[in-house]
Amino acid sequence: MTTCENYGVPNGSACDCPTGFGGPSCALPGCGGNIFQGSSRSLAPASSSGSFSNLTACSCEDGWVGTGCNVCQTANACQSAFSSTGSNQGVDGSLTGSGDQNITLVCSVAPRVYAAGQMSCEVQNPTLQTIYPLKSTLNIMRALNPSLTPLPNITGFGVSGSLYAQLFYDGVEQFYCTANSCTQDPSNSTDGASEWDCQNLQCTCIPNTSFCGAVPTTNLTGVINPLDGALVVSCAAPSAENNTATCAFKQATIQSVFGSSGLILSGCTFGECVSQSVIDTVSSNSTGSTAATGGGKSLSNGVIAGLAVVASLIALALLFLVFGWIRQRRARRSPPGTGDRSGGVAVGWTDLSYFVPSSGSGSRLGGAFRQRHRKGSLNDRKVVLDAVSGHVAPGEMMAIMGPSGAGKTTLIEILAGKQKSGLTTGAVTFPAAMDSTATRVPHVGFVPQQDILPPMLTVREALLFAAHLRLPESIRDSEKSSRVDDVLEKLGLAHICDVRIGDGERRGISGGEMRRVSIGLELVAKPDLLILDEPTSGLDSVSAAKVAAVLHELAHDPENPTAVIASIHQPSSQLYQTFDQILVLSHGRALYSGRGGFTPAEHFSAQGIAYPEGYNVADHLLDIASDPPVRLFGTPQHDGRNTEKVLSSEALPLGEDAEKGQAGKSVDRFSNIRSLEAPKFKQSRIAGPKYAATFLTQLQVLSEREWKILRRDYTLFFAHIAVACVLGVFCGGLYYKTGITIAGFQSRVGCLFFLGALIAFSSLSALYNVVEIRPLFLRERSASYYSPTAWLLSRFLFDVVPLRVIPTIIVASITYWMVGLAHDAAHFFKFLFILVLYTLAMTLFNFFLACVFRNGGIAILLSALLALYQMTYAGFFVHLNSIPPVLRWLQWLCPLKYTLEALSVNEVGSGLMIQDELSGVPVDVSATLIMQTLFGFGQNNYYRDVLVLFAFIAGFGLGVIGIVWLRVRERR
């Protein structure tokens, strides 16, 4: 089979050759003459070595220029050459047929092509000229519609929209290329400029030529032969002085070496012999298939996908806001219902028992594993509560008394419906709520022993926050404010209502006042039942009396009597007398449950324990409970009011925390427990909405609180801004005006890496912030103030944006212009975009760690170690391809790797050229080549990296939401 060089077409035993070539295999370039001579044209002689044809000795006829003499310059040259062929046909080919057409041949010397045009350029690049110092030229034939050329298949070649190129070095052809599916875009200029966009590029290196193997150390065969894909040949308008122009030969691999401008061609001459009628017809037919009118670059699939994702998220957010607004309006227009009612609900508990793992059940992890598979088993457990029963009616106050470790806190937490980490048996019922006429969930208010309050809010603001979120939205804001004022008056807090609460670092209200604020947070929600854990602990007698008076008034309200239960450790005589009922616990068992006053003393006197006259009854009961006679456990006293015993089909899950009250006795030592399988626990509830406020209201109220905190604690915000400015100046000064040498490029990437590492470590403050605010979130979530999603969104708006994103933008902006990175707006904003994405990813990652680990020290340690891992796999310290395969896969899990790659690609994408000198050899290559060589980054990976960073943000965000919903909850 005949083999044709220069992409000639086999024709029997010969080849149809591209314009300017001949010989049996199309390997010989024409020498002198003109392109109209075809196969009769003289060919270039062989070089002195006899191996390749050489054009250096060839001279051109008048009117013809360029390497090989293929480029016309005058109309006379075209007309003379055509006449010498003896052809009598119309020179406009298929366009003949109208007698008024101008068939005169002209020579078009503009870059634009009408039928098939020739061009010849010099290749001048310092790096190439250092390796190949002699003259290099590039010939290109562009066939837009070769059927319109004067002599088809002679003055034109190939199919419409094809291109043929050959590179000559010192007159010898080195390699040749072709491309098809070409379109011409002359519409971007009115002065003759042109751009050809082609596809399916192919190149062939001629073996043993100077470029392709004659010198093994500079063999470019492995670079030239793989060239493929899209090709762009763009030419500026010719100079008026010498009628030459500058062009660029652009292809992905070539651009990676020589920059985004591709291989620069200088001194380009153009020539096309074509009839005037063809020029007139093609120029007027702008919609023809032979002339491209498009000119815009299409977006890649990755960019389209990214834009689609962003648009979908925006649409989803808008839809969510509209839906939330509709729900909010509907809730505010609904009837008030039971929002104004409170109290009237009794509580009863029957045979309540609570068990925790015994200390001898093995390791914590192993014990938890065994307990998960034996949830109902009572083996190897200790008793905290043992068959405790009781009942409190509306309008009554009960004090649960006993020494430390008696189980007081455990009992009231079970009554309040708190999640317990141990195993609970028995039943808790709310008789009023079980009434068939009831349509609402009994609202149980719980005041923990610790006062966990927002320190930056005033007393009134804290109570209003609770009122807006815990009272139904159908209640007007003015009524909620009135309710807050009433609570302030009842609690004696009106005179300090505008004082900030404060904490250990910020001076605010006193400890007693904090205790009353904690109680007020429950009172504004109008509870049906109020349960308090040691409300008087740590208070002086006056403050304790005020708290007791408020609770007594709440319980005995004639309109809304409320059941109040409080654990009391060591009450004064006055405080003791305010309680209607007393429950005395000792080692998890009830020694007494009944009326208060002197009745408990009389009861124990009947059991043989005399009451000392004049002695505080409360102290007397504590003395008995601290060391009770064994006979008291067999005959517990109740007041005769029994509660309904209800068995459930569900037991509370076993957790990792044992409550502070411990009986210290193994289960099998109690005679009243015969089976080793625990009966189930039930706590009565009626189905109803979990949150009083809609999601949009929750977000609005939380945002208002976060804004107040941010505005008042302005030192935190300004500290972040000041640090960002200082670090920006420091980093900018460190890499000030970085050069464009190889070392300068390393410094540029080092600057980008420094910014990424800075963000990775500075985001640790987000972790500490979550750890700090976690107790307040747990308390408010357990009281159903708001959903975790609303809280996370408010934290994002008022923590991530002002304290993470804005400082990142400041430090990046200062550094960017001081270092002298790409000086155009597009690359600057793409640079900021990547850093903001990485900031969001790292902030959410630290949120995730803070939510997973309760111990902030462990979370911070892991975050710091993972930051070091990111620095290792970012590609700056070690080339990623040099890492052993067993560890190399970890790079795909490294957000900093994608960040650094995107930043580097964005920087070299601005057309950055490296100009340096190595051992006396000048280097003028694209920074893309240096980037790929030193760091292994892909030049087209920017938008891929953007989508990957979005994926990290989505993954960490969903992880945070999932962990907060499932794990960050109060468990006692």
Side-chain angles (χ1 to χ4, degrees):
M1 182 178 179
T2 303
T3 301
C4 302
E5 304 293 333
N6 288 294
Y7 300 108
V9 178
N11 185 6
S13 60
C15 294
D16 292 336
C17 301
T19 302
F21 286 87
S25 62
C26 302
L28 302 177
C31 179
N34 58 73
I35 60 175
F36 286 84
Q37 295 173 347
S39 58
S40 62
R41 186 179 182 183
S42 61
L43 302 177
S47 63
S48 58
S49 62
S51 299
F52 302 101
S53 298
N54 194 311
L55 296 176
T56 54
C58 298
S59 59
C60 298
E61 298 178 354
D62 290 340
W64 297 92
V65 297
T67 302
C69 307
N70 298 326
V71 182
C72 70
Q73 290 295 285
T74 65
N76 289 333
C78 292
Q79 294 171 0
S80 300
F82 177 71
S83 299
S84 65
T85 63
S87 176
N88 295 320
Q89 63 176 335
V91 297
D92 57 349
S94 62
L95 292 178
T96 59
S98 298
D100 57 349
Q101 287 183 330
N102 186 354
I103 62 174
T104 304
L105 277 181
V106 297
C107 178
S108 172
V109 293
R112 180 175 181 177
V113 176
Y114 297 95
Q118 304 283 341
M119 59 182 289
S120 182
C121 307
E122 293 184 8
V123 180
Q124 293 185 349
N125 180 273
T127 303
L128 277 178
Q129 288 178 319
T130 301
I131 304 174
Y132 306 104
L134 303 180
K135 183 178 180 180
S136 298
T137 58
L138 183 67
N139 285 358
I140 302 177
M141 190 204 77
R142 299 169 293 167
L144 185 66
N145 194 337
S147 64
L148 301 181
T149 192
L151 297 178
N153 297 322
I154 297 177
T155 56
F157 181 79
V159 298
S160 298
S162 58
L163 177 148
Y164 296 85
Q166 306 87 29
L167 186 133
F168 292 86
Y169 176 65
D170 193 26
V172 177
E173 186 181 12
Q174 305 294 309
F175 64 86
Y176 48 88
C177 301
T178 186
N180 54 39
S181 301
C182 299
T183 58
Q184 178 178 235
D185 180 16
S187 61
N188 59 355
S189 177
T190 59
D191 55 5
S194 177
E195 179 173 292
W196 272 62
D197 296 306
C198 303
Q199 304 297 324
N200 306 316
L201 174 67
Q202 300 178 58
C203 291
T204 301
C205 213
I206 301 176
N208 299 320
T209 57
S210 299
F211 277 43
C212 307
V215 182
T217 57
T218 59
N219 189 356
L220 299 182
T221 302
V223 177
I224 294 173
N225 286 347
L227 293 177
D228 59 4
L231 170 68
V232 176
V233 179
S234 59
C235 295
S239 169
E241 297 178 358
N242 53 17
N243 209 32
T244 61
T246 299
C247 298
F249 195 85
K250 303 177 184 178
Q251 187 269 345
T253 303
I254 295 175
Q255 288 175 297
S256 68
V257 176
F258 300 108
S260 58
S261 299
L263 185 63
I264 301 300
L265 309 175
S266 61
C268 295
T269 57
F270 306 90
E272 178 183 7
C273 290
V274 62
S275 68
Q276 185 62 47
S277 62
V278 171
I279 295 177
D280 296 339
T281 303
V282 173
S283 299
S284 61
N285 186 16
S286 59
T287 60
S289 61
T290 60
T293 59
K297 294 185 178 180
S298 61
L299 295 175
S300 66
N301 292 334
V303 177
I304 294 174
L307 293 176
V309 171
V310 173
S312 300
L313 291 176
I314 293 175
L316 187 63
L318 292 176
L319 184 64
F320 178 78
L321 287 176
V322 171
F323 177 72
W325 179 77
I326 294 174
R327 285 199 60 194
Q328 187 184 57
R329 297 264 301 190
R330 186 179 301 167
R332 291 180 177 179
R333 292 179 178 179
S334 63
T338 59
D340 291 332
R341 286 173 33 191
S342 64
V345 175
V347 58
W349 57 98
T350 306
D351 292 338
L352 272 187
S353 298
Y354 182 71
F355 308 93
V356 295
S358 64
S359 58
S361 59
S363 67
R364 183 177 182 181
L365 181 61
F369 179 80
R370 288 191 295 271
Q371 293 151 14
R372 179 165 297 183
H373 292 275
R374 296 187 302 170
K375 289 174 63 176
S377 175
L378 300 181
N379 289 319
D380 299 326
R381 295 182 185 270
K382 290 185 178 180
V383 177
V384 179
L385 291 177
D386 179 30
V388 178
S389 300
H391 180 275
V392 180
E396 292 183 340
M397 285 180 63
M398 170 179 277
I400 301 178
M401 299 178 58
S404 298
K408 304 186 299 297
T409 297
T410 299
L411 175 58
I412 66 171
E413 288 175 349
I414 293 175
L415 297 180
K418 301 299 178 182
Q419 280 195 323
K420 299 296 294 180
S421 59
L423 180 65
T424 307
T425 65
V428 177
T429 58
F430 304 94
M434 297 295 287
D435 191 339
S436 60
T437 62
T439 59
R440 63 191 177 99
V441 176
H443 179 197
V444 179
F446 176 74
V447 181
Q449 185 174 350
Q450 294 80 21
D451 296 316
I452 305 173
L453 303 169
M456 298 304 296
L457 297 187
T458 65
V459 174
R460 180 189 294 276
E461 288 169 347
L463 296 182
L464 275 174
F465 177 82
H468 284 306
L469 293 179
R470 303 189 69 186
L471 292 176
E473 285 206 54
S474 56
I475 300 177
R476 294 191 299 271
D477 288 345
S478 58
E479 296 179 20
K480 294 177 181 178
S481 297
S482 299
R483 173 66 179 171
V484 169
D485 292 336
D486 292 341
V487 172
L488 289 171
E489 290 293 338
K490 288 181 180 179
L491 294 174
L493 298 173
H495 65 289
I496 59 167
C497 63
D498 294 323
V499 178
R500 294 184 191 177
I501 295 173
D503 55 12
E505 298 179 359
R506 306 173 184 86
R507 185 173 181 179
I509 61 179
S510 66
E513 291 165 340
M514 284 188 180
R515 173 97 314 212
R516 281 180 278 165
V517 171
S518 298
I519 296 173
L521 294 177
E522 299 299 326
L523 295 186
V524 294
K526 298 185 177 181
D528 300 311
L529 169 66
L530 183 61
I531 300 177
L532 307 96
D533 185 10
E534 300 193 14
T536 60
S537 294
L539 303 183
D540 57 79
S541 59
V542 175
S543 299
K546 289 181 179 180
V547 170
V550 170
L551 298 178
H552 189 272
E553 181 181 355
L554 173 68
H556 298 86
D557 189 332
E559 296 181 0
N560 298 303
T562 303
V564 177
I565 302 175
S567 63
I568 302 294
H569 179 62
Q570 194 169 4
S572 64
S573 178
Q574 179 184 4
L575 180 60
Y576 173 80
Q577 295 298 328
T578 60
F579 291 95
D580 304 300
Q581 291 197 64
I582 301 295
L583 174 62
V584 181
L585 294 177
S586 178
H587 301 292
R589 286 191 170 189
L591 299 182
Y592 174 83
S593 179
R595 296 181 180 85
F598 285 98
T599 304
E602 296 172 353
H603 167 75
F604 287 115
S605 295
Q607 301 297 323
I609 304 176
Y611 168 67
E613 291 295 333
Y615 200 63
N616 184 357
V617 177
D619 292 339
H620 176 60
L621 297 180
L622 287 176
D623 290 341
I624 296 174
S626 298
D627 189 18
V630 177
R631 65 178 184 277
L632 295 181
F633 290 110
T635 57
Q637 177 66 37
H638 296 278
D639 59 5
R641 290 177 291 181
N642 296 324
T643 58
E644 180 184 1
K645 184 175 182 179
V646 184
L647 296 182
S648 169
S649 61
E650 181 181 2
L652 288 183
L654 190 64
E656 58 184 24
D657 292 336
E659 182 50 39
K660 64 180 182 180
Q662 296 183 5
K665 299 181 181 181
S666 298
V667 172
D668 56 6
R669 294 178 58 187
F670 287 88
S671 59
N672 62 327
I673 299 181
R674 301 298 183 187
S675 173
L676 294 181
E677 292 299 319
K680 304 300 182 180
F681 169 71
K682 179 171 183 178
Q683 188 165 29
S684 300
R685 284 290 186 268
I686 299 175
K690 185 175 182 181
Y691 303 108
T694 60
F695 181 87
L696 202 59
T697 299
Q698 296 173 23
L699 180 60
Q700 177 184 343
V701 176
L702 280 167
S703 298
E704 290 176 356
R705 183 174 75 172
E706 294 294 336
W707 169 245
K708 289 176 182 178
I709 294 174
L710 182 64
R711 186 181 59 187
R712 291 171 183 175
D713 193 13
Y714 58 87
T715 56
L716 182 64
F717 175 72
F718 284 110
H720 279 77
I721 299 300
V723 170
C725 293
V726 171
L727 289 176
V729 173
F730 172 78
C731 184
L734 192 64
Y735 298 99
Y736 185 72
K737 297 300 180 183
T738 301
I740 57 175
T741 61
I742 295 177
F745 179 74
Q746 285 184 301
S747 296
R748 286 173 185 262
V749 179
C751 174
L752 302 177
F753 174 79
F754 179 86
L755 290 174
L758 176 64
I759 292 173
F761 283 104
S762 62
S763 61
L764 283 171
S765 62
L767 188 153
Y768 174 76
N769 192 278
V770 174
V771 171
E772 186 179 39
I773 202 172
R774 180 179 179 137
L776 179 63
F777 166 73
L778 291 177
R779 181 185 68 78
E780 292 177 342
R781 181 186 180 183
S782 67
S784 298
Y785 278 64
Y786 44 73
S787 71
T789 307
W791 177 74
L792 287 172
L793 191 55
S794 68
R795 295 299 302 166
F796 179 84
L797 293 175
F798 292 92
D799 179 270
V800 177
V801 173
L803 302 182
R804 320 293 163 204
V805 174
I806 293 179
T808 295
I809 293 175
I810 291 175
V811 68
S813 299
I814 296 174
T815 301
Y816 191 91
W817 300 110
M818 289 185 67
V819 173
L821 301 179
H823 285 78
D824 62 276
H827 287 89
F828 170 67
F829 286 110
K830 289 169 70 175
F831 166 83
L832 286 183
F833 182 58
I834 291 296
L835 288 181
V836 168
L837 290 182
Y838 184 59
T839 299
L840 295 178
M842 292 309 301
T843 301
L844 290 174
F845 173 70
N846 282 286
F847 277 6
F848 179 79
L849 290 180
C851 294
V852 170
F853 298 97
R854 295 184 180 182
N855 189 322
I858 295 178
I860 291 175
L861 175 62
L862 284 177
S863 181
L865 291 177
L866 290 172
L868 292 176
Y869 147 73
Q870 290 193 76
M871 294 170 65
T872 302
Y873 280 90
F876 182 73
F877 290 132
V878 58
H879 197 288
L880 296 177
N881 292 332
S882 66
I883 300 176
V886 69
L887 297 175
R888 191 181 305 162
W889 62 272
L890 289 172
Q891 65 176 295
W892 308 116
L893 303 177
C894 177
L896 185 56
K897 181 256 186 188
Y898 300 99
T899 300
L900 184 60
E901 182 178 54
L903 293 174
S904 302
V905 170
N906 177 64
E907 179 63 17
V908 302
S910 63
L912 180 65
M913 297 294 294
I914 300 301
Q915 297 176 357
D916 204 347
E917 189 173 295
L918 297 177
S919 300
V921 177
V923 175
D924 187 5
V925 297
S926 170
T928 303
L929 178 63
I930 305 299
M931 178 188 72
Q932 293 174 330
T933 303
L934 295 182
F935 307 107
F937 296 152
Q939 63 173 334
N940 298 319
N941 288 349
Y942 179 87
Y943 291 104
R944 184 207 69 172
D945 296 336
V946 168
L947 294 179
V948 172
L949 288 176
F950 266 117
F952 274 113
I953 292 173
F956 291 145
L958 292 175
V960 170
I961 293 174
I963 288 295
V964 170
W965 270 100
L966 300 176
R967 184 178 176 86
V968 185
R969 60 177 66 245
E970 191 177 52
R971 186 179 294 273
R972 295 172 175 266

